[in-house]
Amino acid sequence: MASPSQRPSHRRSLRKRRVLVVSAAAVVAGAGAGFFVMNANASGTDLYHQTLADKDGWASSGSGTTGGAKADAAHTFTVSTRAQLVKALGSASDTTPRIIRVSGTIDANTDDSGKKLTCADYASGTGYSLSAYLKAFDPATYGRSKLPSGTQEKARAAAQTKQAKNVTFKVPANTTIVGVPGTKAGITGGMLQIQGVDNVIVRNLTFSATEDCFPQWDPTDGDDGNWNSEYDSVTLRGATHVWADHNTFTDAPHFDSANPKYFGREYQIHDGALDITKGSDLVTVERNQFTNHDKTMLIGSSDTDSIGKLHVSIHHNVWKGIVQRAPLARIGQVHLYNNLYDTATVNGYALQYSVNSRAKAQVVAEDNYWKIPVGQKVSKLLSGDGTGSVAGSGNLVNGTATDLVAAYNAENSKKIKTTVNWTPTLTAGLETSAKDLPTSLATTTGAGVLD
């Protein structure tokens, strides 16, 4: 979960190797260990064994990112339920290469038999109730100077622990998780936790409705307090060599605009979409769609996250209906190129900013495209704390070359620096003009494109 210092109170032309032709065999149904279907393109590669291309961002450096490409038949799975996914993942400490093919949408809020679980099911037996929690920590009586403690806070934590055990999927090293084309593959209500492991690929999946039943009230967070939730749709914590490609992230069907307010603050049930924290390193995020979300991508969990790590490439993604953190970057070296930002308000998600560079982050942003509505200030596209940098050129706003840093600095006292101490070299697919991105990325990003 985000710390108070970072909260608001304070995704090249599609390469031929990815134009997949589904063979007749690909429609054969099957499940379980050993089932594998080739989904080949003209060059003979397949979706499930595909590895990250050379020089395709930071995740291609060193040993590169191959995921489960070396998996044998016994470690190749097709899963369509939560229980099957858990079994396929196995132990988080098992480094045996594995390929997990997700067929259809997996509901994380189900038990091992597939029965739907609700927030009430998780709360059962803990003694937690929202009404009792609100009564116990009403600022009018509890005050605003200390974190909740006591019977109801313990009960809330116990209920949250029950949900976490069910919805958190721990991903081992050397794993590829891919949505099966044509099945509307995805995970709803769950979190892929990639923690302390190396060499993971996540592709062609829709992540939706990642929701915390039991947000915690923190009266000390900001001037007015905040409700803070757990669970990112995908979270990287001390992970290395991770490739996230052609996924879709959304809060749908429950948007933040439907959240009630308690103690005058939004009862926030969503956390991050794809967060990269706690010394994670060598990550490439490409051709994803991020939509209908507030705190979207955090790079670095705090201003004291790991120096010398947090090397991230973010390219050819679409960000639409995003409030903030696209990304928020701390400390690391981040290459942000050929992304499309559509900043019009969608389903109540109104822009706060797109890119935040802070805690001495070294961001190179080049050849990105911003679509902004009439009346919106260019100065709102960036944010920072006065220590971060944003370098680069070729960024367009509504088709016009624009110096984003100059626009921001003209209206803010904490200036964004314009020089960085590194030069990107892992830039496969970099387009030196952003003008065609609104058209090209509309059909080459997100889950389902690899059908």
Side-chain angles (χ1 to χ4, degrees), residues 167-358:
V167 304
T168 302
F169 301 105
K170 298 181 179 181
V171 182
N174 306 317
T175 296
T176 294
I177 306 177
V178 185
V180 176
T183 69
K184 297 183 178 180
I187 298 174
T188 184
M191 176 173 76
L192 288 186
Q193 181 175 296
I194 308 171
Q195 181 170 337
V197 298
D198 180 69
N199 193 28
V200 173
I201 296 173
V202 180
R203 310 182 71 193
N204 203 37
L205 293 167
T206 293
F207 295 92
S208 62
T210 306
E211 300 171 1
D212 186 348
C213 288
F214 312 102
Q216 181 187 37
W217 170 244
D218 182 354
T220 70
D221 182 1
D223 295 335
D224 302 309
N226 269 310
W227 291 96
N228 297 311
S229 59
E230 295 284 356
Y231 319 124
D232 309 320
S233 294
V234 177
T235 188
L236 279 59
R237 304 173 184 175
T240 54
H241 289 109
V242 179
W243 178 31
D245 168 63
H246 281 95
N247 302 292
T248 296
F249 297 83
T250 177
D251 288 349
H254 181 105
F255 302 129
D256 282 354
S257 57
N259 290 339
K261 287 186 177 181
Y262 300 118
F263 308 148
R265 301 296 289 167
E266 180 185 350
Y267 190 67
Q268 179 56 267
I269 62 174
H270 301 116
D271 195 15
L274 196 171
D275 281 4
I276 303 165
T277 63
K278 300 185 182 301
S280 292
D281 202 15
L282 307 177
V283 179
T284 297
V285 180
E286 66 174 298
R287 296 196 174 276
N288 302 281
Q289 289 193 7
F290 298 91
T291 185
N292 297 305
H293 195 80
D294 184 353
K295 298 176 290 186
T296 307
M297 181 184 295
L298 185 64
I299 301 175
S301 54
S302 72
D303 289 356
T304 57
D305 207 317
S306 303
I307 294 174
K309 297 185 179 181
L310 299 171
H311 295 88
V312 183
S313 297
I314 304 168
H315 71 87
H316 292 91
N317 301 281
V318 173
W319 314 75
K320 183 175 182 178
I322 295 304
V323 177
Q324 59 179 319
R325 301 186 185 179
L328 183 156
R330 291 184 169 105
I331 299 170
Q333 296 177 346
V334 179
H335 194 199
L336 192 68
Y337 66 92
N338 295 155
N339 297 281
L340 172 63
Y341 295 88
D342 186 336
T343 66
T345 299
V346 178
N347 293 317
Y349 294 91
L351 179 74
Q352 181 178 338
Y353 65 82
S354 295
V355 179
N356 185 317
S357 180
R358 58 192 301 110

Side-chain angles (χ1 to χ4, degrees), residues 75-125:
H75 293 89
T76 300
F77 308 87
T78 297
V79 302
S80 57
T81 68
R82 174 192 162 276
Q84 290 172 351
L85 176 57
V86 170
K87 183 177 181 180
L89 286 167
S91 169
S93 62
D94 185 353
T95 62
T96 307
R98 70 193 63 222
I99 294 170
I100 301 174
R101 307 166 71 251
V102 177
S103 179
T105 301
I106 292 176
D107 188 345
N109 289 293
T110 53
D111 66 14
D112 289 346
S113 69
K115 178 187 175 182
K116 179 67 178 177
L117 297 176
T118 67
C119 295
D121 291 318
Y122 296 127
S124 178

Side-chain angles (χ1 to χ4, degrees), residues 12 188 244 288 359-360 446 451:
R12 66 203 126 124
T188 184
N288 302 281
K360 299 182 180 180
D451 286 7

Side-chain angles (χ1 to χ4, degrees), residues 131-181:
S131 60
Y133 191 87
L134 293 174
K135 183 178 180 179
F137 303 115
D138 187 336
T141 54
Y142 185 79
R144 293 182 176 272
S145 63
K146 58 181 178 178
L147 287 169
S149 64
T151 301
Q152 270 302 302
E153 173 55 23
K154 289 180 180 178
R156 185 206 63 81
Q160 190 176 67
T161 297
K162 288 177 66 175
Q163 184 183 15
K165 184 178 180 180
N166 219 74
V167 304
T168 302
F169 301 105
K170 298 181 179 181
V171 182
N174 306 317
T175 296
T176 294
I177 306 177
V178 185
V180 176

